[in-house]
């Protein structure tokens, strides 16, 4: 059987010969350079232990860094490998010819069972210096022990299984608790539970292993010379004394599951691999006559945990009939076989020997090989020497083996931290997929390799696999660095061309899927910068293929909205163009395309302008409005007016051009709105935003005299306003004449103009008299010169009489008002007198509105609203709501009142007391009480202004809120 290393060397030489054409360039095919500086050590590194035993070594066991060996006839040598300078020796104390047959050490290194060739057993605890006999075990030659990894401790083994040379399996327990430390025997019990047999009868139990699976299941593996048995069952909860008996208790006609092989060495040995400390094994290797049965352990299976089994034959260069294997140990990817003169390591992936170590004759014949399950070290001993193997980076070359058997996922898993190896695996996987016509998978793998880009691309082109080529280019593009701009640009443009070619050839669902992929490619954030920098080239490609739909989509992605809007306008799709404008809200594009859009969809455009609000500068839209209004009808002009009105009334636009243009549109199409606008603008010329001179000229040109009059008034050109108003309406002229309120001379002059117009133009004496009465500055003598000479006094008689009657009527109204005021004063005096004599009755069961205690127990107040309060209750309610100065005054009055002393109980106080108080300039006691009443009882605390003012105050004082809240918890 050839070595796997030889195969690897052959593959390397073949690869080198295929790359001779590139060797002159000095560039490796994979893009990686072998930078290994020194020869790598082997996986299994042997070390001889510096130890010379005083007697020959009979047996050796190691577990949890605890080493125990039997020396000669009577010595047990113990060593904690963490404290190598503190060895320990224990004598067995046997006087007979008994020898150590086998040693068994549990997984914690605490319990050592010593089996003697006289069918006796001894026990030695790690913390003890004296061996103890196991009396119940006497008469049985122990071949194997199945330790309990779940219930054992340093002082107690828990239930364990013991296999004997007669095929019997016993259950036992050893304990050295204080109760039994000085007893006669540490074994608690030793009972028979099962018997293993082969075709010829009972066979020795070579190995025992106890493991626990899911759902509390217990799995027991037992081997004889040719058979491997499995026992599956559950240990009942709380049944500590039963132990494993429930698993072995089965009907006599029901045999356990087993594997059997015909050949036999007369013995067998099984080894397990545990990936992590304190976990269950996941693989096994059973050394028997036909070879090594290797497989994995699947604890989820109901009946058998053995899976993926295969038998590896022994190396062909070993004559098994003469040189039989002695021991076996299992690592993650290898099992090691111990022969009398050498050790061979076989890979479990392909069955090839990857390591061979031959020992010199001077060391003697190899006796046994064992592995520390906790630390993974492998120990081998002869009768004279002890060796140790350290396993170093066992998985370093596993990726090659997985790659050679086409398990690429596992190969990548074991070389993910070695990029040069990962590249080889990916290249091999890509080639494998390509040969099996899995072109898309091949493209994905090729994109991750460092192989030459041109070769791979040509490979897919020659195979006419455009889809796989696109996948390769996409993956390659995704792996490029931001600094590789040239490569990114080339791949992006090439992919665009390939997508467009496929879209031109496909139809139906494939075309839809390709279009979606193309749009995802165009919208990828990773490609955004490259696409933006080369957007002109991409647009040319799209245009050359006539793909206007994707061209518009790409323009949107690139935020090239000007191109999108222009495209819609060219195809008379003005609504779509406006929709794009409204979505992006770009002011510059609004200014650019509004002149075109407003010609076709004016209402929608104006709606969009209004929605934009202050984001648009209305001044920049005036050209579009002017162009539109000049060639449009009255209905079209109304849309321009609507937007300008929005600017003026909603946005409060103050720019003069906006107001002037709105005035010009009003003057042409809507004279009523013109006058309304001017009136709303007010009469203060400083706050009017339009050009008044321009407004005056517009109104004059279009004959809007009423608007002209208003403008004259705002400009304070009252004479012109009156002159023009007289042509329209005398009443309008009158309103203009009253405007200069501070200039009486001008007012009189304006009214005289009105009077002259009424007399001379309208020849109406009554109107002239009305003018005389409307202005108090005019007198009859001011108006008389305007009348013709032939007018007689009779024409003024009625006016004079009406004036006199008006004076008399005014005098009578003044008299009436005086009488009403007199009557009101009289009624008020009567109400005051009535209030002084008003009283109320209080029943004996009445209670205070504040404290709800009987009212008559203490001094109280009765209000007109019906509320009644004790004096102290009312004071407590009112005081917090009083202003600071009233609170101070109230406190001062109370101090003075208390200083005067308690009043006499008699109804009549001596007059000299009051007179003496008044003589000193101090207010009387009654006066102080009255002042307190004025403050406290001025109004009902529930019905007066105090209640109204306290409506916004919280019910709980903020300073007491936390304490109040805590009191409710």
């Amino acid at each position: 059987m050839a070595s796997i290393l030889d195969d690897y060397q052959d593959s390397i030489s073949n690869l080198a010969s295929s790359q001779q054409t590139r060797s002159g360039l000095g560039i490796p095919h994979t893009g990686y350079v072998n930078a290994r500086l020194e020869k790598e050590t082997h996986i299994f590194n042997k070390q001889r232990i510096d130890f010379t035993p005083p007697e020959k070594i009979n047996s050796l066991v190691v577990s949890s860094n605890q080493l125990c060996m039997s020396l000669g006839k009577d010595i047990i040598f113990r060593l904690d490998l963490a404290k190598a300078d503190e060895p320990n020796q224990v004598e067995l104390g046997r006087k007979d010819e008994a020898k150590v047959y086998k040693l068994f050490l549990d997984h914690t290194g605490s319990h050592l069972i010593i089996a003697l060739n006289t069918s006796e057993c001894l026990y030695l605890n790690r913390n003890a210096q004296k061996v103890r006999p196991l009396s119940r075990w006497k008469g049985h030659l122990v071949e194997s022990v199945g330790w309990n990894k779940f219930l054992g401790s340093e002082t107690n083994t828990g239930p364990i299984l013991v296999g004997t040379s007669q095929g019997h399996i016993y259950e036992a327990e050893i304990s050295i608790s204080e109760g039994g430390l000085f007893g006669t025997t540490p074994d608690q019990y030793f009972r028979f539970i099962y018997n293993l047999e082969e075709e010829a009868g009972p066979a020795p139990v070579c190995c025992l292993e106890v493991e626990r699976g899911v759902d509390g299941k217990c799995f027991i593996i037992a081997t004889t010379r040719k058979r491997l048995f499995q026992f599956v069952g559950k240990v009942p909860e709380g049944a500590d004394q039963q132990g494993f008996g429930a698993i072995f208790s089965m009907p006599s006609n029901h045999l356990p599951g087993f594997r059997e092989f015909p050949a036999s060495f007369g013995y067998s040995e099984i080894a397990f691999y545990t990936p992590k400390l304190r976990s269950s094994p996941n693989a096994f290797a059973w050394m028997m006559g036909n070879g090594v049965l290797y497989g994995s352990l699947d604890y989820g299976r109901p009946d058998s945990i053995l899976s993926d089994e295969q038998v590896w034959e022994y190396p062909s260069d070993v004559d098994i009939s003469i040189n039989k294997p002695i021991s076996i140990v299992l690592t993650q990817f290898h099992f090691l076989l111990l022969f009398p003169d050498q050790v061979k390591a076989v890979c479990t992936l392909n069955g090839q020997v990857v390591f061979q170590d031959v020992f010199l004759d001077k060391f003697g014949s190899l006796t046994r090989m064992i592995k520390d399950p906790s630390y993974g070290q492998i120990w081998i001993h002869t009768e004279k020497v002890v060796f140790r193997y350290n396993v170093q980076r066992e998985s370093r070359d596993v990726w090659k083996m997985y790659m050679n058997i086409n398990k690429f996922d596992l190969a990548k898993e074991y070389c993910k931290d070695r990029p040069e190896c990962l590249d080889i695996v990916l290249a091999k996987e890509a080639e494998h997929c390509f040969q099996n016509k899995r072109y898309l998978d091949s493209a994905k793998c090729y994109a991750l390799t460092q192989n030459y880009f041109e070769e791979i691309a040509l490979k897919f082109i020659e195979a006419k696999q455009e889809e796989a080529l696109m996948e390769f280019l996409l993956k390659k593009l995704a792996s490029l660095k931001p600094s590789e701009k040239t490569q990114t640009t080339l791949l992006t443009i090439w992919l665009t061309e390939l997508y467009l070619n496929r879209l031109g050839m496909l139809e139906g669902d494939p075309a839809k899927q390709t279009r979606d992929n193309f749009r995802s490619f165009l919208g990828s954030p990773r490609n955004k910068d490259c696409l933006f920098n080369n957007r002109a080239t991409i647009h040319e490609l799209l245009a050359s293929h006539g793909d206007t739909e994707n061209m518009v989509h790409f323009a949107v992605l690139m935020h090239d909205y000007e191109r999108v809007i222009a495209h819609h306008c060219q195809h008379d799709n003005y609504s779509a163009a406006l929709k794009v404008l409204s979505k992006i809200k770009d002011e510059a594009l609004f200014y650019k395309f509004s002149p075109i859009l407003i010609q076709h969809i004016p209402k929608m455009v104006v709606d969009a302008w209004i929605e934009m609000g202050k984001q648009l500068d209305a001044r920049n839209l005036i050209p579009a409005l002017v162009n539109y209004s000049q060639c449009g009808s009255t209905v079209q002009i109304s849309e321009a007016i609507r937007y300008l009105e929005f600017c003026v009334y909603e946005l409060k636009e103050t720019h003069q051009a906006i107001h002037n243009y709105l005035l010009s549109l009003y003057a042409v199409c809507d004279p009523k709105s013109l006058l309304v606008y001017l009136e709303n603008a007010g009469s203060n010329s400083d706050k009017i935003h339009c050009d008044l001179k321009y407004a005056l000229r517009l109104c004059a040109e279009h004959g809007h005299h009423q608007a002209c009059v208003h403008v004259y008034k705002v400009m304070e050109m009252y004479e012109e306003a009156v002159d023009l108003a007289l042509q329209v309406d005398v009443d309008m002229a009158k309103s203009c004449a009253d405007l200069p309120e501070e200039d009486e001379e001008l007012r009189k002059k304006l009214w005289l103009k009105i009077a002259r117009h009424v007399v001379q133009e309208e020849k109406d004496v009554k109107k002239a008299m009305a003018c005389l009465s409307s202005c108090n500055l005019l007198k009859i003598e001011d108006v008389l010169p305007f009348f013709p000479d032939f007018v007689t006094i009779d024409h003024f008689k009625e006016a004079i009489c009406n004036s006199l009657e008006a004076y008399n009527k005014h005098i009578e109204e003044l008299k009436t008002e005086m009488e009403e005021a007199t009557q009101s004063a009289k009624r008020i005096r009567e109400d005051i007198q009535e209030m002084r004599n008003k009283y109320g009755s209080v029943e004996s069961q009445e209670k205070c509105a504040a404290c709800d205690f009987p009212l008559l127990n203490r001094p109280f107040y009765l209000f007109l609203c019906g509320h009644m309060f004790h004096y102290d209750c009312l004071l407590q309610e009112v005081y917090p709501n009083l202003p600071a100065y009233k609170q101070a005054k109230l406190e001062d009055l109370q101090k003075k009142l208390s200083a005067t002393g308690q009043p006499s109980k008699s109804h009549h106080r001596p007059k000299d007391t009051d007179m003496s108080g008044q003589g000193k300039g101090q207010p009387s006691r009654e006066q102080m009480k009255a002042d307190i009443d004025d403050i406290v009882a001025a109004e009902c605390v529930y019905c007066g202004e105090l209640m109204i003012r306290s409506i916004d105050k919280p019910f709980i004082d903020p300073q007491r809120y936390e304490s109040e809240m805590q009191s409710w918890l």
Side-chain angles (χ1 to χ4, degrees), residues 279-487:
S279 63
S280 299
N282 63 0
F284 75 97
W286 180 36
M287 183 188 73
M288 41 76 182
N290 291 85
V292 176
L293 177 65
Y294 173 78
S296 58
L297 301 177
D298 184 358
Y299 298 96
R301 301 178 66 181
D303 298 325
S304 173
I305 62 173
L306 307 183
S307 64
D308 301 330
E309 302 171 45
Q310 55 184 335
V311 177
W312 296 115
E313 296 181 357
Y314 293 111
S316 58
D317 59 343
V318 178
D319 187 357
I320 302 300
S321 61
I322 301 174
N323 201 6
K324 297 179 182 179
I326 302 172
S327 293
I328 184 173
V329 296
L330 181 63
T331 63
Q332 186 176 5
F333 297 105
H334 304 84
F335 59 82
L336 279 74
L337 295 172
L338 179 70
F339 294 92
D341 59 346
Q342 62 182 322
V343 173
K344 289 182 180 289
V346 180
C347 179
T348 57
L349 300 177
N350 52 18
Q352 295 184 3
V353 177
V354 298
F355 173 75
Q356 180 174 340
D357 191 6
V358 180
F359 289 76
L360 300 177
D361 294 338
K362 66 178 182 178
F363 298 133
S365 177
L366 301 179
T367 305
R368 182 167 175 75
M369 176 173 60
I370 192 168
K371 176 186 173 185
D372 187 340
S374 301
Y375 290 85
Q377 295 174 335
I378 300 171
W379 297 79
I380 297 175
H381 74 92
T382 66
E383 291 182 349
K384 304 175 181 178
V385 187
V386 178
F387 297 93
R388 178 175 62 191
Y389 283 97
N390 292 314
V391 183
Q392 297 179 345
R393 296 179 58 234
E394 183 182 5
S395 62
R396 69 181 74 169
D397 294 325
V398 170
W399 63 272
K400 303 174 192 174
M401 303 170 193
Y402 279 127
M403 180 182 69
N404 292 332
I405 60 177
N406 296 331
K407 292 185 177 181
F408 299 108
D409 291 337
L410 291 172
K412 287 183 285 188
E413 179 67 23
Y414 284 101
C415 64
K416 58 186 178 182
D417 55 344
R418 300 169 65 185
E420 71 282 0
C421 302
L422 181 61
D423 189 74
I424 296 173
V425 175
L426 289 170
K428 181 72 179 293
E429 182 182 8
E431 186 62 31
H432 175 77
C433 294
F434 191 91
Q435 292 176 357
N436 288 277
K437 300 186 183 304
R438 292 163 48 201
Y439 296 109
L440 285 177
D441 294 335
S442 176
K444 293 176 182 178
C445 293
Y446 268 131
L448 298 175
T449 67
Q450 298 297 319
N451 290 14
Y452 290 113
F453 172 84
E454 298 84 353
E455 288 186 359
I456 300 171
L458 288 172
K459 198 170 186 176
F460 286 115
I461 292 173
E462 291 172 358
K464 297 181 180 180
Q465 295 297 321
E466 191 172 285
E467 186 178 0
L469 175 61
M470 292 173 61
E471 183 68 25
F472 170 69
L473 295 179
L474 284 170
K475 295 294 184 182
K476 207 67 179 177
L477 179 62
S479 65
L480 291 177
K481 299 177 182 178
S483 59
E484 298 174 323
K485 296 182 179 179
T486 303
Q487 295 89 328

Side-chain angles (χ1 to χ4, degrees), residues 164-217:
T164 69
S165 60
Q166 299 299 317
H168 298 161
I169 298 178
Y170 292 86
E171 181 181 334
E173 184 175 359
I174 301 174
S175 176
I176 59 165
S177 59
E178 290 190 10
L181 184 60
F182 301 101
T184 57
T185 177
D187 51 337
Q188 303 297 306
Y189 61 89
F190 188 81
R191 56 171 173 258
F192 173 80
I193 58 174
Y194 202 77
N195 184 42
L196 294 183
E197 294 183 355
E198 293 181 353
E199 293 180 355
V205 182
C206 298
C207 297
L208 281 171
E209 181 73 15
V210 181
E211 295 296 339
R212 180 175 294 176
V214 295
D215 298 330
K217 278 188 177 181

Side-chain angles (χ1 to χ4, degrees), residues 440-717:
L440 285 177
D441 294 335
S442 176
K444 293 176 182 178
C445 293
Y446 268 131
L448 298 175
T449 67
Q450 298 297 319
N451 290 14
Y452 290 113
F453 172 84
E454 298 84 353
E455 288 186 359
I456 300 171
L458 288 172
K459 198 170 186 176
F460 286 115
I461 292 173
E462 291 172 358
K464 297 181 180 180
Q465 295 297 321
E466 191 172 285
E467 186 178 0
L469 175 61
M470 292 173 61
E471 183 68 25
F472 170 69
L473 295 179
L474 284 170
K475 295 294 184 182
K476 207 67 179 177
L477 179 62
S479 65
L480 291 177
K481 299 177 182 178
S483 59
E484 298 174 323
K485 296 182 179 179
T486 303
Q487 295 89 328
T488 302
T489 302
L490 290 173
L491 290 181
T492 301
I493 295 175
W494 191 1
L495 280 167
T496 302
E497 180 69 26
L498 291 174
Y499 271 120
L500 292 173
N501 288 337
R502 285 185 62 80
L503 286 173
M505 294 185 295
L506 297 176
E507 294 180 357
D509 292 339
K512 182 178 181 300
Q513 181 64 36
T514 303
R515 183 174 64 252
D516 293 341
N517 293 339
F518 181 43
R519 292 192 172 184
S520 298
F521 168 73
L522 293 177
S524 172
R526 184 179 181 84
N527 305 329
K528 183 177 180 181
D529 292 339
C530 178
L531 290 169
F532 182 80
N533 294 331
N534 299 277
R535 60 187 182 278
T537 305
I538 302 297
H539 274 300
E540 290 177 4
L541 283 174
L542 292 168
S544 66
H545 285 265
D547 194 346
T548 56
E549 183 180 357
N550 283 319
M551 185 169 64
V552 172
H553 177 76
F554 178 69
V556 171
L557 290 176
M558 295 295 104
H559 300 291
D560 191 1
Y561 298 110
E562 182 175 354
R563 189 187 296 269
V564 177
I565 297 168
H567 170 78
H568 288 314
C569 291
Q570 289 172 3
H571 292 78
D572 297 333
N573 193 357
Y574 302 106
S575 298
L578 182 61
K579 185 177 180 181
V580 175
L581 267 177
S582 301
K583 183 178 180 180
I584 63 174
K585 300 183 184 302
D586 190 316
E587 299 88 346
L589 293 180
F590 262 104
Y591 301 144
K592 181 174 182 178
F593 289 99
S594 288
I596 301 173
L597 297 176
I598 200 170
Q599 299 292 336
H600 301 88
I601 47 173
K603 185 178 185 305
M604 295 175 64
V605 172
V606 171
D607 290 340
W609 289 351
I610 292 174
E611 185 179 354
M612 288 289 290
K614 288 188 176 182
Q615 296 182 45
L616 292 179
D617 188 348
R619 292 175 294 175
N620 295 329
L621 296 174
I622 288 178
L625 292 171
V626 171
N627 185 38
Y628 167 67
S629 60
Q630 286 178 351
C631 62
S633 64
T634 304
V635 177
Q636 292 172 324
I637 294 175
S638 64
E639 293 298 329
I641 293 176
R642 181 162 72 94
Y643 178 66
L644 292 174
E645 287 179 340
F646 170 76
C647 294
V648 171
Y649 297 120
E650 298 294 333
L651 301 182
K652 309 299 181 184
E653 183 64 54
T654 60
H655 198 271
Q656 191 177 77
I658 303 298
H659 289 262
N660 288 346
Y661 186 54
L662 179 59
L663 277 174
S664 66
L665 295 179
Y666 278 152
V668 174
C669 299
D670 196 355
K672 292 182 179 179
S673 298
L674 172 63
L675 185 59
V676 172
Y677 168 80
L678 291 172
E679 290 176 349
N680 291 337
S683 58
N684 189 347
S685 59
D686 295 334
K687 296 182 180 180
I688 295 176
H689 305 297
C690 64
D691 187 348
L692 291 175
K693 294 180 181 179
Y694 175 71
L696 185 61
R697 181 170 63 81
L698 278 176
C699 296
E701 286 178 358
H702 293 85
H704 303 312
H705 298 301
Q706 196 171 356
C708 285
V709 171
H710 183 81
V711 175
Y712 277 134
K713 290 193 295 183
V714 174
M715 297 174 68
E716 297 183 357
M717 300 172 65

